[in-house]
Amino acid sequence: MLHTIIKKNSYQDSINLMLLTNSVSTMEGLNKVQIMMATPANKDIFNTAGLHTPELEAAESNDMAIVVDTDDASLIDSVLEKVDQYLKDQSISNKKQSFETVRTWDKAVEALPGANVAMISVPGQYAADEADKALDRGLHVFLFSDNVSIEDELRLKQKAHDKGLLVMGPDCGTGILDGVPFAFANVVNKGRIGIVGASGTGIQEVSTIIDRLGEGVSHAIGTGGRDLKDPIGAITMMDGIRALENHSQTEIITIISKPPAEHVRNEVMELLQSLTKPVVAVFLGEKPEQYVGNVYQAYTLAETAYIAVDLAKGNEVKPDYNAGDFKVENTELKEGQHTLKGLYSGGTLASEAAILISDALGLGTHIKNEEGYVLKHEGHEVVDLGDDKYTQGKPHPMIDPETRSKFIEEAGADASTAVILLDFVLGYGSHDDMASALLPSIQKAVATAKEDGRTLHVVATVCGTKNDPQSYDGHVKSLKEAGIIVKETNNEAVRTALNIVGLHVEDNQKKHVEGEKSGKEFDLSVSDEIASLVSDRPRVINVGLKGFTDALADTGTQFVQYDWRPIAGGNARMAKILSLLK
Amino acid sequence: MKYNSMDEANKAVIDKITGSAPFLVDVVPAKEKVKELNEGKVLLHAGPPIKWEDMTGPMQGSCIGASIYEGWAATPEEAEKQLASGEVKFIPCHHVNAVGPMGGITSANMPVFVVENRTDGNEAYCIMNEGIGKVLRFGANSQEVIDRLKWMQNVLGPTISKALKLTEDGLNLNVMIAKAITMGDEFHQRNIAASLIFLKEISPYIVQVDMDDKDRKDVIQFLADTDQFFLNIAMATAKAVMDAARQIEAGTVVTAMCRNGKDFGIRISGMGDEWFTAPVNTPQGLFFTGYSQEDANPDIGDSAITETFGVGGMAMIAAPGVTRFVGAGGFDDALATSNEMAEICVSQNSNFTIPTWDFQGACLGIDARKVVETGIEPVINTGIAHKKAGMGQVGAGTVRAPKECFEKALEAYAIKLGLI
């Protein structure tokens, strides 16, 4: 049975009416419905649909015609109601993005003409090309991507240096530019300590301790892990140091690296000793015996932060910040229960643990890296779960607890395990609540040991600040409540663990000696581009992972999101043709 | 002429487009301008070349209607027999300076707009818009359709022709398009503002034409009722302008996009007349009651020449009235669409500024390289025909040009230049 409703002089756009028709059609009990303006052409369409009625025929072009085919006449009122409601409520809800998204470099540069940094997180095989394009556009590069060849790294860094630009990375996990966290970084107070670091979690550990000690960071420039190796020769590190030397708000310069190539180390040291500002340096694996001139070399990351803070506050620098009382009550161990298992998500934190443990074991301060193990000696193990071996096709352990859970449970089942050492790295990029994610397997491991008549000790450190997206205090609290020993720094955590198994590290009491100037003249000037990078707020083109824009948005940073895809969808032949058609 | 780089060649193409001066100068029977239509039974069709047996329903339906209209056949059955036997020769509209909407079927006696591009002196032609509903371009071919076509041939066409002759030098189409784009038209899905501007420009001359009063009233009424009347003028305009740009014979700017229901075809500036084709997609959109996506014919028609010219789907943001054809979205989706299209274009046309886009110019010059590089396929606003002949229009929506066409064009160009 056909029912016709004519709304006189009620003009609606045809698209609106099609949408309305679609919406009304979903009501139950209707065989067919059509809503259109009653124009002659539309009357034909009604006719074709078998919905032509005399009332419709009498209607005019400016009348809205609703024709319903239904056996239940009582439904007509609800149809009308639905139509009225729809017409009243036509505004379409929209989730407005507050930032612009582009798909090409040209549009990215057009959308943010003042951009000065490109943050690149595209797959490794494409990363060098994209970094090249960024440099060609006069942008500094924060290259998060890994798997870039050393040849490409050298070429990019030389090109950047010649153009007065900085390439941070490849494999640059962390950076803070004028308070803006880049990639995996914490929300650290702004202040007078500048950092240049060839280590992501190293920067995170040092910068968060500085923050918790009440000081702040001007910039933390990541260089990528290979910067101080051959053949790169610390190109980015040295330009970064010059940048901070020229940055008036930076009073203390801090540098962080794993063991560099010998000649590179010497050159960096010479540069540092020619600076006008005090410097704190940590080359993980070196156990310094003295402070030389303006350069205060530290043994651990924590010590690095403590020296920097004392220098900033104008306090006297102490001979040693590492020693202390690391005793824990009630730590009986069963016979044969004597090993440490360091299960780390932070590579540099793992290395630091390996150095301290090998030092305590009288093996020197070596870090090795075999299958992700930075230490494996007589049952003692420190593993970097962020190593490529564990992250092939899987998220990083700072994001995904799965691999670490497995290791924790295995360590718990191992009768020799006395202590499990863990890091909880907070900040942008990291898991929302790693404590809750790992606690079940920690508790399982503890329970397994207990069934076996052992007390398993778990010592942890939380690398973060109170302003991080995750709650620092909440993490510490929930870990402590679960019976985990939580320490302020990784250094303290490792020494506490060592103490439980009756080991300890002897520390050097460092004396301050006069610096020996090398006589070599260093040019300490920087390009305008680098000067403006450290004096202004960064303006960022984020090429790749959209998640990295959270920190930019939260800090009110100007940025544009470049939704990158491989050129020509990864079709190599088309990519070649495109490169030829220039 | 030699260009030092692809960008330089593309710039030359763009300059041709922005510098063009299209004027609507006349309406004449197609056979007067297209000599091929005088050589036996010949029909023009939309898209790249296609054979009768490969045509989809609506195009075949149009052919049948045109055969009856031309008096070659008395019944649809008779027409179909002729068409299937190879008695009728088919030529793409594009090969004879013409473009045709949907089926694009154009026969000798159908009146066509004549658009002259004064900068290059070239012309382009397009049949007149028949209105909506049961119309030949969507494959309908009933007596009512034929009668309307006859009326257009005998009354509408000659009247507009006479009126245009009373103007000083035709109607300046750049001016009309510039005005209408600020009034919410994008010239493919929506032409109501431009159609009104046309009526405003032409009616003072129509009233001066010596003719029967009833016919005059019918003509004015038809123009007043036909919201899409300007679409066909816009198509001829775009064709005239893009054909002139094609003479640069270098660069990677897309100079034509069209579809025949089977294949999508493009031309690029560096490859002259050559078509690069790939199977067409089927439009997605909103349907009249009783019809659904299942009834939709694959993409068809030369009207994508408007997108080639930088309007239509490329200028989605200009036409808030039609934005909901982009999925179920609203204004922000239209904005996103135009922003996305800007990514694959060389430039923006300062002749056609869009108020809802902060007065940015309409997109201009699709660069086949950018399409391939980004994988962003040009979006086309289009009517949707029923896949069966004679059923006519069943909805409207959007469709994407397949990127394979652009890949083939670039590959051929690289070979032509000896690069691979």
Side-chain angles (χ1 to χ4, degrees), chain A residues 98-237:
Chain A
S98 58
F99 58 92
E100 204 160 334
T101 298
V102 299
R103 287 284 303 278
T104 52
W105 272 109
D106 287 350
K107 288 291 164 196
V109 173
E110 214 177 288
L112 189 59
N116 63 345
V117 183
M119 172 150 52
I120 300 173
S121 53
V122 305
Q125 66 189 112
Y126 304 105
D129 269 357
E130 298 306 326
D132 241 335
K133 289 177 195 165
L135 293 174
D136 287 340
R137 284 168 170 80
L139 300 165
H140 301 286
V141 172
F142 183 99
L143 190 50
F144 178 81
S145 312
D146 55 6
N147 290 314
V148 173
S149 75
I150 192 100
E151 293 78 17
D152 279 338
E153 178 170 349
L154 179 61
R155 181 177 59 77
L156 290 168
K157 285 186 169 173
Q158 269 167 350
K159 176 172 174 171
H161 181 78
D162 293 345
K163 296 180 74 115
L165 298 168
L166 270 191
V167 171
M168 293 164 263
D171 204 4
C172 186
T174 302
I176 303 171
L177 295 175
D178 198 38
V180 179
F182 276 64
F184 285 75
N186 304 84
V187 182
V188 174
N189 278 329
K190 275 182 71 177
R192 44 196 164 171
I193 300 169
I195 301 174
V196 192
S199 139
T201 38
I203 292 177
Q204 288 191 277
E205 175 79 347
V206 172
S207 65
T208 53
I209 295 172
I210 288 171
D211 178 282
R212 297 201 303 271
L213 292 173
E215 279 293 322
V217 168
S218 58
H219 299 286
I221 298 169
T223 68
R226 294 186 303 214
D227 192 67
L228 280 81
K229 304 242 191 257
D230 272 328
I232 309 297
I235 296 175
T236 301
M237 172 70 78

Side-chain angles (χ1 to χ4, degrees), chain B residues 166-238:
Chain B
L166 294 172
T167 65
E168 210 158 291
D169 56 357
L171 297 180
N172 187 331
L173 292 163
N174 273 346
V175 172
M176 293 166 80
I177 291 170
K179 283 180 184 166
I181 206 165
T182 67
M183 295 164 72
D185 278 359
E186 44 66 89
F187 308 101
H188 198 166
Q189 205 84 271
R190 188 183 139 106
N191 284 277
I192 187 165
S195 298
L196 286 169
I197 291 169
F198 174 75
L199 179 57
K200 167 178 103 67
E201 295 292 326
I202 200 76
S203 50
Y205 300 104
I206 291 178
V207 297
Q208 297 174 50
V209 173
D210 181 19
M211 67 187 293
D212 177 76
D213 263 359
K214 160 126 190 357
D215 284 346
R216 192 191 327 269
K217 183 200 160 281
D218 288 349
V219 166
I220 296 287
Q221 190 65 54
F222 183 84
L223 294 179
D225 288 347
T226 308
D227 292 353
Q228 287 283 63
F229 195 73
F230 193 83
L231 170 58
N232 302 40
I233 302 174
M235 287 172 61
T237 305

Side-chain angles (χ1 to χ4, degrees), chain A residues 15-16 18-19 21 33-34 36 41 48 86 90 92 94 96 102-104 107 568 573 580-582, chain B residues 6 132 134 286 288-289 291 321-322 324-325 330 332 342-343 369-370 372-374 376 407 411 419-420:
Chain A
I15 303 162
N16 252 339
M18 281 197 227
L19 289 164
T21 303
V33 61
Q34 178 148 301
M36 281 181 144
T48 316
Y86 183 91
Q90 278 190 58
I92 295 159
N94 57 32
K96 247 201 166 97
V102 299
R103 287 284 303 278
T104 52
K107 288 291 164 196
R573 179 168 170 80
L580 295 170
L581 286 173
K582 288 285 182 201
Chain B
M6 215 48 74
I132 58 167
K134 290 207 161 57
L286 295 171
F288 304 144
T289 299
Y291 301 108
V322 299
R324 295 215 223 163
F325 277 113
D332 286 341
E343 303 256 18
R369 292 179 306 172
K370 295 190 182 196
V372 173
E373 180 185 337
T374 60
I376 299 172
E407 291 177 350
E411 183 149 7
L419 298 172
I420 51 172

Side-chain angles (χ1 to χ4, degrees), chain A residues 484-529:
Chain A
I484 293 167
I485 302 162
V486 185
K487 290 297 181 182
E488 272 284 308
T489 69
N490 187 48
N491 174 58
E492 285 181 42
V494 178
R495 286 172 190 254
T496 303
L498 285 167
N499 187 278
I500 293 171
V501 294
L503 291 167
H504 81 282
V505 181
E506 285 295 339
D507 287 294
N508 294 332
Q509 299 301 308
K510 298 179 280 287
K511 286 202 184 68
H512 197 166
V513 300
E514 280 303 303
E516 321 140 33
K517 297 280 174 198
S518 66
K520 190 166 167 184
E521 282 298 313
F522 280 92
D523 178 4
L524 294 176
S525 66
V526 290
S527 67
D528 291 348
E529 288 80 4

